[in-house]
């Protein structure tokens, strides 16, 4: 089930809200667990057992690690936990990729296994491994209530497409949490904004990107607009989902950490990754980069660490070479930036922004294409593909989607949010603001009802 | 206070529509979208395991959503009036006329059409005089450089150069945008006499031009529902005279009627002409004893034109190759020296995959 669906909005959520708020506090986690499993089962009936296994196994291993804290046994349990969790992830996500590459390198033909990847496995694997490591390091106490732990692992707002919620973030709220009008309204606002980002911006940008990808005669301009549309689509798709997840969390009393902070206004690639998919980059930093020594090692080892982390970032996103290239592309940029460009970018803000956005757009060209077509696309972007600058078809799409592109660019900056904040305390906002959110919700509903394009990009990760 | 209003208005919307959707009776058919709606899917273990039930249920929630048409209309207004998109699901409106963008040109489809028609000619129509005409769809007359449009010149050139031993009848200059319904893809029968006369001039027949008009309104064409906008409907006029009343229609499927008035007000009122899509129809004209016969290979545009040609022939046979393959056709027609007219619209030529072998 996806948040931006009529099934979720007008069937699942109303029943859940009703059930949740009429249930006494001590049974609220049970309701959340039940509905979260239903939520997952609806989208992935075959693999629900993997999720259940993950809950039971990690609960048990976490307990074992916690009980044998500071002994050799705890390390054994941790290693076992990591191997099983990543083993499952590797099996479901990477087996066919590995077979394909082995076949190509050795010129053999091991048959592919055509394994279907369970939805959200990349997210809940990282969450549970993070939990085990935190228990092992003594950062959190192990959870000895299965209901609470299973609620954490399966919590539907963040289950299938993140953000990667650390156990420590919700540890206390799993035990007891407050519900208030203020928090609920905050959640509603966040959810509706996320829904609008997804339905009104990402989906329509996706239509534009798809039209431009299928253009009869590509032009230099169409290739650029396509690259920009894809970048904005991915941003609004994923940040919209994160907003919805954070908003839904608030409805049920959970406070998830921010996952995006206007990454497209970043002034360097380092800054970009402090603002983009924060939960993933901080996870990789805390559980891979720092344990490897981080930056407090020799320069050569530090560069190695950066390349390992960014290889993992790329590979986490998908079992394909373009994702690995995408990760390593950022590794190269970050090393160059930290070694050579750091001071220059600090002094020249405008150049820094242009430099960052261009490199980010290029990164999403790599991200969104199959590895074989990437070079060709870059040739087109730089006019090396024997293309004309523009044609009638390109102009048509730019005219047709021009306003949407402008709105999307504006929405990717804090301008609109800051404007809204200025009016927050005005008296008339008491009426206008609720109307704004209801209208936005109804417009999103209208687009969903008449939708032909509504995939979630991050579901495949 | 504001937080309470936001909280309750959100709950009101989602719980309200949830209850409304449960309360409102399911619809089986959508007249505006001209399709069957998804009804509540049957729950079985297999359908759950295969996710078919979930997919069907998602479709069900979309199709049966309360005020679905109003929501579609809201979406269309946001697309056109807020985002200023040039089309909504390929539909756009200009001067209250609804168009559906047909773009780009599909050369493979055109080649396929040419090959099919040449095969038809060589295999079955060797001894027949064969004429053909490609009916321009209404986008052809759209004098507007804003929207993407087919390269009609290329399409016609390909067809004219590709079809062999057949005589082309060009209808492009005698039609205009006014000859098409504003809310539908088709042409208007009451404005087709010049077309029938042009065909007659080239094929060597004369038609009767005295008819009485029968009117039906409001006629909401196929694009009306797709546009989901409030626009003035059309009036559907069909032409009748004594000779047409006596014509004997024999349909392979459907009703044996030249004008099936029970279709007026149905999902597609244009089906009044020869009861809509039918693979094979013969129309005999008892008042014409010249033994002249005509075979028309046609799409839906031919349904409204054919009645105007009846006065020139004692028998007209209509074949729709979208619904009948040529092997079956042999069982129904003995090809002798009938006149043959191949009459397809540019829409079909550019999407010829529906023509059977």
């Amino acid at each position: 089930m996806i948040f931006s669906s009529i099934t979720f909005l007008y069937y699942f959520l109303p029943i859940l809200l009703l059930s949740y708020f009429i249930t006494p506090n001590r049974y609220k986690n049970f309701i959340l667990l039940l509905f979260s499993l239903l939520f997952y089962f609806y989208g992935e009936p075959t693999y629900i057992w993997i999720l259940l296994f993950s809950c039971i196994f990690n609960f048990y291993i976490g307990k074992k690690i916690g009980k044998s804290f500071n002994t050799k046994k705890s390390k054994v349990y941790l290693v076992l936990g990591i191997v099983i969790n990543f083993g499952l992830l590797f099996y479901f996500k990477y087996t066919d990729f590995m077979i394909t590459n082995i076949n190509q390198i050795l010129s053999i033909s091991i048959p592919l296994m055509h394994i279907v990847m369970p939805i959200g496995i990349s997210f809940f694997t990282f969450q549970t491994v993070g939990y085990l490591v935190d228990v092992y390091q003594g950062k959190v106490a192990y959870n000895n209530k299965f209901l609470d732990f299973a609620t954490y692992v399966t919590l539907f707002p963040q289950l299938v497409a993140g953000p990667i919620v650390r156990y420590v973030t919700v540890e206390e709220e799993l035990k007891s949490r407050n519900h208030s009008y203020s928090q609920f309204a905050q959640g509603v606002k966040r959810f509706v904004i996320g829904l609008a980002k997804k339905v009104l911006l990402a989906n329509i940008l996706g239509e534009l990107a798809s039209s431009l990808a299928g253009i009869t005669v590509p032009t230099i301009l169409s290739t650029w607009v396509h690259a920009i549309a894809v970048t904005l689509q991915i941003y609004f798709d994923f940040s919209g989902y994160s907003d919805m997840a954070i908003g839904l969390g608030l409805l049920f009393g959970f406070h998830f950490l921010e996952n995006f902070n206007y990454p497209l206004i970043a002034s360097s690639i380092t800054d970009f990754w402090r603002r983009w998919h924060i939960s993933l980059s901080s996870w990789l930093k805390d559980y891979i980069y720092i344990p490897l020594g981080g930056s407090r090692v020799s320069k050569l080892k530090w560069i190695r660490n950066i390349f390992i982390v960014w290889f993992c970032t790329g590979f986490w996103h998908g079992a394909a070479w373009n994702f690995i290239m995408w990760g390593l592309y950022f590794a190269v940029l970050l090393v160059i930036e930290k070694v050579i460009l750091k001071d220059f970018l600090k002094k020249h803000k405008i150049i820094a922004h242009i430099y960052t956005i261009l490199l980010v757009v290029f990164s999403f060209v790599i991200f969104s294409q199959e590895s074989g077509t990437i070079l060709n696309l870059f040739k087109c972007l730089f006019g090396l593909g024997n293309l004309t600058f523009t044609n009638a078809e390109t102009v048509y799409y730019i005219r047709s989607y021009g306003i949407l592109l402008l709105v999307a660019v504006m929405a990717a900056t804090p301008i609109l949010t800051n404007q809204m904040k200025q009016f927050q305390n005005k008296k008339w906002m008491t009426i206008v603001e609720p109307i704004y959110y209801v209208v936005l919700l109804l417009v999103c509903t209208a687009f969903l009802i008449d939708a032909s394009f509504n995939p979630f990009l991050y579901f495949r990760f | 206070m504001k937080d309470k209003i936001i909280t309750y208005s959100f709950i009101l919307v989602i719980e309200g529509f949830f209850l409304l959707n449960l309360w409102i009776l399911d619809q089986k058919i959508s007249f505006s979208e001209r399709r069957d709606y998804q009804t509540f899917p049957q729950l079985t273990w297999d359908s759950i395991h295969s996710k078919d039930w979930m997919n069907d249920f998602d479709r069900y929630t979309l199709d049966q959503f309360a005020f679905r048409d109003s929501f579609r209309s809201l979406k269309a207004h946001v697309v056109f009036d807020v985002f200023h998109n040039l089309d909504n699901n390929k539909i756009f409106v200009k001067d209250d006329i609804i168009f559906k963008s047909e773009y780009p040109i599909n050369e493979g489809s055109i080649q396929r059409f040419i090959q099919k028609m040449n095969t038809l000619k060589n295999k079955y129509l060797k001894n027949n005089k064969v004429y053909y005409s490609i009916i321009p769809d209404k986008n052809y007359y759209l004098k507007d450089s804003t929207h993407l449009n087919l390269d009609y010149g290329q399409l016609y050139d390909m067809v004219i150069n590709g079809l062999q031993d057949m005589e082309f009848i060009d209808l492009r200059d005698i039609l205009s945008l006014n000859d098409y319904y504003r809310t539908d893809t088709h042409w208007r029968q009451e404005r087709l006499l010049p077309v029938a006369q042009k065909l007659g001039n080239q094929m060597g027949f004369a038609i009767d031009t005295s008819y009485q008009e029968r009117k039906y309104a409001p006629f909401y064409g196929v694009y009306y529902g797709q546009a989901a906008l409030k626009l003035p409907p059309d009036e559907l006029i069909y032409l009748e005279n004594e000779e047409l009343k006596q014509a004997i229609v024999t349909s392979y499927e459907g009703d044996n009627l030249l004008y099936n008035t029970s279709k007026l007000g149905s999902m597609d009122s244009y089906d009044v002409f020869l009861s809509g899509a039918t693979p094979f129809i013969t129309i005999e004209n008892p008042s014409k004893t010249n033994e002249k016969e005509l075979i028309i290979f046609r799409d839906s545009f031919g349904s409204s034109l054919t009645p105007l040609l009846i006065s020139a022939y004692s028998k007209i046979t209509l074949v729709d190759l979208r619904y009948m393959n040529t092997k079956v056709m042999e069982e129904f027609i003995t090809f002798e020296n009938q006149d043959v007219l191949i009459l397809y619209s540019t829409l079909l030529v550019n999407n010829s995959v529906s023509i059977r072998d």
Side-chain angles (χ1 to χ4, degrees):
Chain A
M1 199 183 300
I2 58 174
F3 298 156
S4 58
S5 70
I6 295 296
T7 311
F8 177 82
L9 279 170
Y10 294 101
Y11 289 83
F12 181 86
L13 194 55
I15 300 172
L16 170 60
L17 282 173
L18 209 64
S19 314
Y20 182 82
F21 282 104
I22 60 167
T23 303
N25 279 349
R26 61 194 169 127
Y27 299 120
K28 281 194 188 321
N29 278 358
F30 176 71
I31 293 292
L32 276 183
L33 174 63
L34 199 71
F35 276 84
S36 295
L37 290 174
L38 178 69
F39 177 88
Y40 193 81
F41 181 78
Y42 191 90
E44 196 69 277
T46 318
Y47 285 135
I48 184 96
W49 63 268
I50 291 175
L51 183 64
L52 291 170
F53 170 79
S54 182
C55 291
I56 297 164
F57 175 75
N58 288 297
F59 174 74
Y60 179 75
I61 288 288
K63 219 168 164 177
K64 286 282 179 194
I65 293 170
K67 280 186 174 170
S68 56
F69 183 63
N70 259 347
T71 66
K72 274 188 178 174
K73 262 188 174 178
S74 73
K75 199 169 197 171
V76 174
Y77 287 126
L78 176 69
V79 170
L80 179 69
I82 290 172
V83 167
I84 297 289
N85 278 300
F86 281 129
L88 275 175
L89 178 65
F90 192 89
Y91 172 76
F92 282 107
K93 191 165 178 175
Y94 302 107
T95 305
D96 278 345
F97 175 73
M98 287 299 168
I99 293 173
T100 307
N101 284 291
I102 289 167
N103 282 346
Q104 277 179 359
I105 292 164
L106 303 177
S107 296
I108 54 176
S109 52
I110 305 167
L112 293 178
M113 294 173 75
H114 300 291
I115 299 163
V116 178
M117 190 178 81
I119 293 171
I121 192 169
S122 307
F123 290 94
F124 65 74
T125 300
F126 270 41
Q127 289 191 180
T128 48
V129 168
Y131 164 73
L132 297 182
V133 174
D134 284 353
V135 173
Y136 173 77
Q137 291 179 338
K139 287 180 184 167
V140 294
Y142 71 90
N143 191 316
N144 61 0
K145 280 182 81 177
F146 180 72
L147 177 65
D148 289 358
F149 183 75
T151 305
Y152 161 65
V153 176
T154 63
L155 200 59
F156 78 91
Q158 44 80 50
L159 175 61
V160 292
I164 300 164
V165 176
R166 306 266 188 104
Y167 178 74
V168 69
T169 310
V170 292
E171 187 183 10
E172 289 308 313
E173 289 169 342
L174 283 166
K175 292 173 195 157
S176 92
R177 52 193 176 271
N178 297 321
H179 302 92
S180 66
Y181 284 114
S182 153
Q183 190 176 276
F184 195 95
Q186 202 58 39
V188 168
K189 289 195 270 186
R190 198 64 194 268
F191 178 78
V192 174
I193 290 292
L195 185 68
K197 276 186 182 179
K198 165 66 186 156
V199 176
L200 302 183
L201 296 178
N203 283 0
I204 307 179
L205 285 162
E207 280 175 21
L208 170 63
S210 162
S211 300
L212 289 170
I215 199 167
T216 323
V217 183
T219 62
I220 296 169
L221 188 59
S222 75
T223 318
W224 273 99
V225 177
H226 175 259
I228 292 165
V230 164
T231 303
L232 288 166
Q233 183 203 0
I234 294 171
Y235 167 61
F236 286 113
D237 190 279
F238 194 22
S239 78
Y241 195 94
S242 291
D243 285 339
M244 285 188 270
I246 291 168
L248 286 166
L250 286 169
L251 298 188
F252 299 100
F254 290 97
H255 293 78
F256 302 154
L257 298 180
E258 290 299 332
N259 207 20
F260 287 87
N261 180 23
Y262 299 106
L264 300 181
I265 62 160
S267 55
S268 66
I269 295 300
T270 312
D271 187 25
F272 173 79
W273 276 102
R274 284 192 199 116
R275 295 164 174 269
W276 179 279
H277 205 171
I278 300 164
S279 65
L280 175 69
S281 40
S282 66
W283 194 100
L284 290 164
K285 184 182 150 203
D286 291 349
Y287 298 108
I288 296 182
Y289 184 68
I290 305 263
L292 284 170
S295 57
R296 292 178 182 176
V297 285
S298 68
K299 205 166 198 173
L300 215 59
K301 277 190 175 171
W302 168 65
I303 291 172
R304 178 207 66 183
N305 294 348
I306 287 180
F307 271 82
I308 289 173
V309 166
W310 290 96
F311 171 84
C312 292
T313 305
F315 208 36
W316 178 90
H317 277 85
W321 282 107
N322 65 313
F323 292 117
I324 295 171
M325 282 164 68
W326 180 73
L328 294 178
Y329 165 87
F330 278 116
V332 172
L333 290 178
L334 286 166
V335 170
I336 293 172
E337 205 169 82
K338 285 173 198 295
V339 175
I340 305 167
L341 293 174
K342 201 174 172 183
D343 295 332
F344 176 83
L345 293 173
K346 271 185 188 165
K347 280 181 201 160
H348 303 85
K349 282 286 171 198
I350 296 172
I351 295 174
H353 283 295
I354 297 169
Y355 146 90
T356 308
I357 197 70
L358 274 177
L359 292 178
V360 167
V361 168
F362 294 157
S363 84
F364 285 112
V365 170
I366 300 170
F367 187 90
S368 61
Q369 299 295 319
E370 284 180 15
S371 50
T373 60
I374 292 169
L375 191 63
N376 200 28
L377 245 145
F378 274 105
K379 278 184 181 172
C380 295
L381 281 172
F382 292 104
L384 303 172
N386 214 7
L387 305 179
T388 55
F389 180 71
T390 187
N391 60 15
E393 208 175 344
T394 306
V395 171
Y396 175 82
Y397 288 120
I398 292 174
R399 282 182 71 173
S400 193
Y401 291 91
I403 290 183
L404 172 88
L405 279 168
L406 276 177
V407 172
V409 169
M410 292 272 283
T413 71
I415 297 169
L416 295 173
T417 315
N418 290 341
Q419 287 294 320
M420 284 280 280
K421 274 182 190 163
Q422 283 186 1
F423 304 117
Q424 270 301 320
N425 296 324
K426 302 277 181 196
K427 217 170 182 182
W428 49 266
M429 281 296 270
T430 310
I431 298 299
V432 171
E433 203 179 357
I435 293 173
Y436 168 74
Y437 285 106
V438 167
V439 169
L440 207 52
L441 176 63
L442 293 177
V443 170
C444 290
T445 304
F447 272 71
L448 288 176
I449 285 173
D450 199 36
S452 52
F453 194 95
N454 190 21
F456 256 120
L457 300 179
Y458 261 70
F459 264 32
R460 58 184 164 152
F461 302 136
Chain B
M1 180 63 179
K2 189 168 71 183
D3 291 338
K4 276 190 182 179
I5 299 176
I6 290 173
T7 298
Y8 286 118
S9 52
F10 178 74
I11 289 173
L12 190 74
V13 171
I14 64 163
E15 300 287 351
F17 274 104
F18 167 63
L19 294 173
L20 208 55
N21 288 330
L22 290 184
W23 183 59
I24 286 177
L25 289 176
D26 290 351
Q27 305 287 313
K28 282 193 172 166
I29 295 168
S30 164
F31 278 83
S32 60
E33 295 170 72
R34 297 179 180 212
R35 64 182 179 88
D36 292 337
Y37 272 160
Q38 173 73 46
T39 49
F40 192 84
Q42 204 184 353
L43 204 61
T44 63
W45 175 246
D46 282 347
S47 67
I48 289 179
H49 191 255
S50 64
K51 268 186 80 177
D52 287 347
W53 189 88
M54 287 79 155
N55 294 332
D56 287 346
F57 185 75
D58 283 341
R59 271 195 295 277
Y60 167 79
T61 62
L62 291 174
D63 283 358
Q64 304 292 351
F65 200 85
F67 310 118
R68 177 182 162 83
D69 284 345
S70 304
F71 275 107
R72 289 182 57 241
S73 184
L74 171 64
K75 187 232 174 177
H77 279 293
V78 173
V79 166
F80 286 124
D81 304 333
V82 178
F83 288 137
H84 290 271
N85 275 66
L86 295 177
D87 67 77
N88 176 29
N89 300 331
K90 288 194 154 190
I91 293 279
F92 58 95
V93 180
K94 194 164 189 294
D95 302 329
D96 279 352
I97 304 172
I98 309 171
F99 296 87
K100 185 165 193 174
S101 176
E102 178 66 22
Y103 184 88
I105 194 160
N106 184 343
E107 291 181 22
S109 167
I110 300 168
Q111 288 298 352
R112 188 172 182 276
F113 173 81
I114 292 166
Q115 180 241 317
K116 294 267 172 202
M117 294 306 129
N118 281 334
T119 307
L120 185 72
K121 163 72 182 161
N122 296 332
K123 205 166 172 187
Y124 302 103
L125 310 172
K126 272 191 179 148
N127 302 319
N128 300 77
K129 178 73 182 161
V130 180
Y131 302 86
Y132 72 95
S133 190
I134 304 300
I135 303 161
D137 66 89
K138 70 180 178 186
N139 289 317
Y140 179 85
Y141 299 101
L142 176 67
K143 302 293 175 218
D144 176 2
S145 58
T146 311
H147 293 91
L148 293 173
N149 220 344
L150 271 186
D151 184 343
Y152 287 96
Q154 187 190 349
L155 184 145
Y156 275 92
D157 285 348
M158 282 178 74
V159 174
I160 292 166
N161 294 329
L163 293 185
Q164 291 149 10
D165 300 328
M166 300 180 229
E167 189 176 325
F168 177 58
I169 304 173
D170 197 348
L171 300 178
R172 286 174 288 183
D173 295 339
I174 56 164
L175 286 164
S176 74
L177 203 48
N178 294 329
D179 299 324
Y180 296 80
Y181 295 109
R182 280 180 293 104
T183 64
D184 197 77
T185 180
H186 294 107
W187 53 10
R188 309 170 72 104
Q189 190 194 40
E190 76 276 17
R191 298 184 63 97
L192 296 185
L193 287 172
V195 171
Q197 281 167 332
K198 172 129 194 196
L199 293 173
N201 289 343
Q202 225 161 315
M203 294 171 71
F205 63 76
I207 57 154
D208 192 347
T209 54
S210 56
Y211 296 94
Q212 294 88 50
E213 290 189 348
R214 302 276 181 259
K215 294 179 180 177
Y216 170 78
F219 166 49
Y220 298 100
V222 65
Y223 292 158
Y224 188 88
Q226 291 179 27
L229 293 167
K230 280 261 176 286
L231 291 163
D234 277 297
E235 182 179 49
L236 188 149
I237 298 171
Y238 56 99
L239 304 176
E240 230 175 22
N241 61 19
E242 279 309 309
E243 198 174 13
L244 291 186
K245 279 180 187 166
Q246 285 165 19
I248 302 160
V249 177
T250 311
S251 177
Y252 179 70
E253 272 175 13
D255 301 317
N256 296 327
L257 294 165
L258 197 62
Y259 297 119
N260 189 345
T261 51
S262 71
K263 299 283 183 184
L264 294 171
S266 70
M267 200 135 69
D268 188 354
S269 294
Y270 183 81
D271 285 353
V272 68
F273 301 106
L274 293 167
S275 302
T278 315
F280 185 81
I281 301 172
T282 59
I283 306 167
E284 288 164 86
N285 180 1
S287 54
K288 200 78 187 176
T289 51
N290 62 358
E291 300 296 317
K292 250 183 112 175
E293 286 189 30
L294 171 66
I295 300 169
I296 305 178
F297 293 93
R298 55 94 192 199
D299 57 19
S300 56
F301 281 77
S303 300
S304 51
L305 175 69
T306 304
L308 307 184
L309 308 181
I310 289 172
S311 58
Y313 289 93
S314 61
K315 185 180 179 186
I316 296 179
T317 303
L318 293 161
V319 182
D320 194 334
L321 292 175
R322 293 173 301 169
Y323 307 107
M324 181 179 235
N325 77 37
T326 45
K327 278 176 193 157
V328 177
M329 180 181 76
E330 278 183 287
E331 294 171 21
F332 289 85
I333 310 174
T334 308
F335 292 99
E336 290 165 330
N337 60 346
Q338 303 100 324
D339 288 346
V340 174
L341 175 63
I342 292 172
L343 185 67
Y344 284 105
S345 69
T346 47
L347 297 175
L348 191 116
V349 175
N350 204 46
N351 300 282
S352 67
V353 68
S354 57
I355 298 180
R356 293 190 184 180
D357 290 324

